[in-house]
Amino acid sequence: MELIKIFVFCSSPFLFSSISACQVQLPALRFLAVLCYQNEGVASTVGATQHEDPLTGEQRPLPQILVELLRRDQPIEIQLTLAKCLTNLCKANAIEPWDSSIVYLALPTLG
């Protein structure tokens, strides 16, 4: 659970301005992708994890945060690694395969 908190912190917009977001996000996303690869226990924990948005106070599931980060204005390495994370979550049964984030975002990014 602590590793997921570290990942969410690394993905937050409140990082130091001297470090680019890509330099921090990419290793964190790669780490998450490797953790979820063929590991149903970790993937189900990641899929069920809620994170409180510090600005609004609302709870959001971690897969939803990943989907929101999968934008075309992100560097291609970030997009591919996010798609890999979502695909690994799907393969480990943490996200349904017919989920719109898989069908319309992750697969076209990988294809």
Side-chain angles (χ1 to χ4, degrees):
M1 193 56 85
E2 290 299 317
L3 295 174
I4 294 171
K5 290 179 184 177
I6 291 169
F7 167 76
V8 172
F9 170 75
C10 289
S11 299
S12 74
F14 303 111
L15 294 173
F16 303 109
S17 60
S18 63
I19 302 174
S20 75
C22 186
Q23 288 177 319
V24 178
Q25 286 179 346
L26 191 57
L29 290 170
R30 285 183 179 153
F31 179 70
L32 186 64
V34 169
L35 275 180
C36 294
Y37 180 69
Q38 295 183 347
N39 192 336
E40 288 188 22
V42 170
S44 64
T45 301
V46 169
T49 299
Q50 300 278 326
H51 175 68
E52 183 176 338
D53 187 342
L55 299 176
T56 63
E58 86 177 90
Q59 294 283 333
R60 296 172 32 218
L62 190 54
Q64 179 185 352
I65 295 170
L66 294 175
V67 168
E68 290 171 7
L69 286 172
L70 187 60
R71 298 183 310 263
R72 299 294 175 209
D73 65 341
Q74 294 284 348
I76 190 67
E77 297 89 6
I78 297 281
Q79 291 180 39
L80 289 172
T81 308
L82 279 164
K84 190 174 183 179
C85 285
L86 291 169
T87 303
N88 287 347
L89 286 169
C90 180
K91 286 180 179 179
N93 299 318
I95 300 176
E96 298 296 332
W98 54 83
D99 187 286
S100 62
S101 62
I102 297 295
V103 175
Y104 297 115
L105 293 173
L107 292 179
T109 301
L110 293 172

